[in-house]
Amino acid sequence: MLKSRASIRTALLGSILVALLAQGLAQAAEKQTDKPLYDRLGGVYPIAAVVDEFIDLLLVNDVLNANPAIKAAKVRVPAAGLKYHLTAMVCRETGGPCEYTGRSMKESHGHLKINEKEWQATMADLRRVMNNYEVPAKEQDELMAIVEGMKKEIAVTE
């Protein structure tokens, strides 16, 4: 009888420890998601690295370059300036301290007449770069949702 009480106590203590550990892990995960996306992405430097590679891909994207307006803009707008403004925008939109001083999305993209195929090519390049940098799926999805929220200002939705 004494042996079974000790076994029951050991099992009970083990269960309590497992429950406390699980609760602690859940609270740690919750604290992580309480952080702004900006922090979960690692701040401005990792954001700038992703933006840099993303813009480089867009500049050589055949789908986008088939659009004469996009091709002309690529010649007219310096890549470095585009990277700077996009980094600042992503920083701000993800909860970071950056200030975006560029034009509105409608003003800077409206004349490009970006169609659905071009939009999807852009989003595929963004996803590819985030995968290259091993951005976690949850954070990727959050950033993609932010960008999708700007679609009506950037792309032709007809």
Side-chain angles (χ1 to χ4, degrees), residues 18-79:
V18 168
L20 288 173
L21 179 60
Q23 181 182 7
L25 290 173
Q27 287 174 344
E30 189 176 305
K31 283 181 183 175
Q32 179 67 12
T33 58
D34 284 347
K35 289 183 179 180
L37 179 56
Y38 171 82
D39 291 330
R40 290 181 280 131
L41 291 172
V44 72
Y45 295 126
I47 289 170
V50 168
V51 167
D52 184 66
E53 187 174 326
F54 173 60
I55 295 300
D56 287 347
L57 281 178
L58 293 183
L59 293 174
V60 297
N61 186 306
D62 292 336
V63 173
L64 299 177
N65 285 322
N67 177 328
I70 292 174
K71 194 170 184 176
K74 181 174 82 169
V75 173
R76 197 176 61 253
V77 178

Side-chain angles (χ1 to χ4, degrees), residues 92-113:
R92 182 192 74 190
E93 293 297 318
T94 59
C98 303
E99 184 178 336
Y100 174 71
T101 59
R103 299 181 297 161
S104 73
M105 292 298 97
K106 190 173 213 93
E107 185 181 354
S108 59
H109 294 87
H111 67 286
L112 300 176
K113 306 292 185 207

Side-chain angles (χ1 to χ4, degrees), residues 10 12 16-17 20 22 30-31 34 48 55 66 81-82 84 86 98 110 116 119 130 132 134 136 140-141 150 156 158:
T10 302
L12 184 58
I16 291 170
L17 287 173
L20 288 173
E30 189 176 305
K31 283 181 183 175
D34 284 347
I55 295 300
L82 185 58
Y84 169 80
L86 187 56
C98 303
E116 185 62 26
W119 177 260
M130 288 192 293
N132 288 347
E134 299 179 358
Q140 282 192 36
D141 292 344
M150 297 178 183
V156 177
E158 298 169 4

